[in-house]
Amino acid sequence: MRLEKCWFCSSTIYPGHGIQFVRNDAKIFRFCRSKCHKNFKMKRNPRKVKWTKAYRRLHGKDMTQDSTFEFERKRNRPQRYDRINTEKVLQAIPKISKVKATRQKDHITKRLSVGRVNRRTEDRRELEQSISLVKAPSVLKEDATLTLPKQKVTVSYAQTENTPMEE
Amino acid sequence: MLNVADNSGARKLMCIRIIGASNQRYAQIGNVIVAVIKEAVPNMSLEKSEVIRAVVVRTRKELKREDGMIIKYDDNAAVIIDQKGNPKGSRIFGAITEELRKFRFTKILSLAPDVL
């Protein structure tokens, strides 16, 4: 039994799922579901179809190079059963996949953090420019309490230790 | 019209009948069929409009296995055999499935370049 990768979307194909298509030059195309198979029949290029892993890797949306990828490699020769080795591998697999998952998540968070900063500066600029839609500028000038200025207050840690936590 | 997957001299076959099945309409991979040669390579042992036996090795219709694997080929092809089941040609072209082993076509499997 071997877990294959879908040719179109690169997801794993478990046994009993999907269709294998053998072309006349004996190249085998494996598909995880009919969605991928139908896209293939339409002659779509997976590198141009946005939801596939090929597109995401090509356009830098997902992590491409990392040391955790090197643990998983395709071997065509069956390995002799070694009990100690097998035990070690079975213990290592969840650790490696956890590290891989956190690194992939961080890659995406890092990629999206630029947008978060941009959105924040945009919002701040919009607030400064369009505050007149909420309150007339002359009113804001007269009464200073309407716009609460930020005040920095230093907290002494000795005080906070004695206060009980709120339920 | 089936393609011929070996170098016996024929190029295209037309299936006339399925051997061993009285009312079966469609031949599957591993079925022996009676076929007539519709197109042949000139100057070889087999000629056009000759009636011969062949075993189907590739179909466009999916082949379903017990483990859930489904295999589909790009064309329909057969290998010409004699009455005993030995292939007439000396080379086989294209990928062959393991299903033929069940039907005892071991010679074809050994000649095949790729066995799935």
Side-chain angles (χ1 to χ4, degrees):
Chain A
M1 188 195 84
R2 178 168 226 164
L3 296 180
E4 305 284 356
K5 294 273 174 193
C6 175
W7 184 85
F8 200 81
C9 65
S10 315
S11 58
T12 39
I13 306 176
Y14 285 90
H17 288 259
I19 289 184
Q20 293 183 17
F21 170 64
V22 184
R23 209 166 53 181
N24 278 339
D25 58 359
K27 184 162 160 71
I28 305 175
F29 296 89
R30 294 171 221 271
F31 305 106
C32 58
R33 54 200 199 278
S34 64
K35 178 180 180 180
C36 303
H37 188 34
K38 282 178 184 158
N39 271 298
F40 173 77
K41 283 196 272 188
M42 273 195 265
K43 298 192 179 177
R44 283 199 182 151
N45 188 356
R47 284 160 175 256
K48 290 194 175 180
V49 179
K50 295 236 168 101
W51 50 270
T52 57
K53 206 74 175 163
Y55 176 95
R56 288 187 67 90
R57 287 207 185 114
L58 188 69
H59 290 80
K61 311 281 183 191
D62 275 347
M63 196 168 66
T64 41
Q65 281 178 338
D66 194 43
S67 52
T68 46
F69 289 133
E70 282 164 37
F71 287 106
E72 195 180 330
R73 215 177 281 155
K74 186 176 179 182
R75 277 168 247 273
N76 279 323
R77 230 183 261 156
Q79 285 201 318
R80 185 163 278 239
Y81 178 70
D82 183 10
R83 185 175 166 187
I84 302 164
N85 226 5
T86 310
E87 274 183 21
K88 277 192 198 165
V89 166
L90 285 174
Q91 281 173 0
I93 286 176
K95 286 185 197 166
I96 294 169
S97 47
K98 192 172 155 201
V99 169
K100 198 197 228 177
T102 45
R103 284 194 194 172
Q104 281 175 338
K105 198 168 154 226
D106 288 340
H107 179 269
I108 293 176
T109 320
K110 195 171 154 191
R111 183 169 59 87
L112 296 174
S113 65
V114 179
R116 281 177 79 207
V117 170
N118 286 346
R119 277 196 293 274
R120 224 171 146 73
T121 50
E122 277 288 314
D123 288 344
R124 188 168 290 139
R125 205 203 296 159
E126 200 195 336
L127 187 68
E128 285 169 14
Q129 287 177 350
S130 318
I131 192 70
S132 49
L133 291 170
V134 175
K135 281 268 183 225
S138 52
V139 175
L140 290 172
K141 271 190 195 165
E142 283 172 18
D143 203 349
T145 55
L146 280 177
T147 51
L148 294 168
K150 270 194 185 175
Q151 283 180 336
K152 279 204 173 178
V153 180
T154 51
V155 178
S156 57
Y157 286 102
Q159 281 180 0
T160 50
E161 262 175 34
N162 294 328
T163 52
M165 274 178 60
E166 288 181 16
E167 287 289 314
Chain B
M1 291 270 263
L2 296 127
N3 291 333
V4 174
D6 59 11
N7 62 348
S8 53
R11 273 284 147 85
K12 290 220 188 283
L13 302 173
M14 186 169 87
C15 173
I16 297 173
R17 195 84 187 157
I18 303 173
I19 303 272
S22 55
N23 265 341
Q24 192 176 334
R25 291 214 128 87
Y26 308 107
Q28 291 155 3
I29 291 179
N31 279 140
V32 177
I33 58 168
V34 179
V36 64
I37 297 174
K38 284 293 191 182
E39 191 187 305
V41 173
N43 300 331
M44 289 196 83
S45 58
L46 293 173
E47 281 177 353
K48 193 179 148 191
S49 64
E50 215 179 293
V51 176
I52 40 89
R53 289 201 175 188
V55 62
V56 179
V57 295
R58 294 200 291 269
T59 51
R60 276 216 186 95
K61 179 74 182 158
E62 314 79 53
L63 167 76
K64 288 190 193 178
R65 288 199 177 148
E66 270 95 39
D67 59 0
M69 202 188 281
I70 299 179
I71 298 177
K72 219 199 245 200
Y73 285 95
D74 203 7
D75 67 342
N76 304 312
V79 166
I80 297 180
I81 55 172
D82 60 9
Q83 290 284 355
K84 281 196 198 145
N86 300 321
K88 257 223 168 121
S90 53
R91 277 180 69 199
I92 309 267
F93 304 114
I96 305 281
T97 47
E98 287 278 341
E99 260 70 13
L100 289 186
R101 202 183 293 275
K102 195 172 54 163
F103 294 106
R104 310 282 168 79
F105 292 111
T106 47
K107 193 104 195 297
I108 296 178
L109 279 173
S110 63
L111 287 171
D114 202 8
V115 182
L116 291 175

